[in-house]
Amino acid sequence: LQLTATKGGRRAVREKGTYLILRELHRWEREPDVLAACEKLIQVLIGDEPGAGMENLLEVEVPAEVEQQLQRLDREEEERWQREREERREAPGSTAR
């Protein structure tokens, strides 16, 4: 994800066919943390290019209320992945990695 922080980085990652690789990885991967990372990177790669002034996403100022909302969504996502990890471990016949 760090490579996609800048416009040039996003272009380079797209040009290498990264989306196709991630799409295939996402089809067979079962580790929730890896799936989450794939989904986030795929969203960056297939999404529209940010507007003017947002070429470097690490330098964009995020309003406090938006940052709080994003943190809440991150916590909810982490809780969901944690529940899925626990369910997989408890499933009969599961082989946890």
Side-chain angles (χ1 to χ4, degrees), residues 2-97:
Q2 289 293 317
L3 291 172
T4 62
T6 63
K7 185 175 184 173
R10 289 186 293 278
R11 182 177 48 250
V13 170
R14 285 183 185 115
E15 289 173 356
K16 297 298 180 187
T18 305
Y19 169 74
L20 296 174
I21 295 166
L22 288 171
R23 185 181 67 190
E24 290 304 310
L25 173 61
H26 192 268
R27 286 183 180 169
W28 61 264
E29 180 61 53
R30 296 294 166 239
E31 180 60 40
D33 294 334
V34 176
L35 284 170
C38 284
E39 290 169 6
K40 288 177 183 178
L41 185 50
I42 286 170
Q43 287 301 316
V44 171
L45 295 175
I46 66 174
D48 293 335
E49 189 62 32
M54 296 182 62
E55 290 83 7
N56 186 338
L57 300 178
L58 296 176
E59 296 174 351
V60 174
E61 292 212 20
V62 179
E65 62 274 3
V66 173
E67 185 172 351
Q68 290 172 352
Q69 182 180 9
L70 292 171
Q71 288 173 351
R72 180 183 56 78
L73 291 170
D74 280 346
R75 283 191 306 272
E76 290 173 3
E77 181 182 49
E78 179 58 36
E79 290 168 2
R80 179 174 57 93
W81 287 115
Q82 183 63 35
R83 282 192 305 274
E84 289 181 19
R85 279 191 292 267
E86 290 171 3
E87 289 170 2
R88 200 170 350 105
R89 278 193 297 258
E90 294 171 357
S94 72
T95 55
R97 290 188 200 184

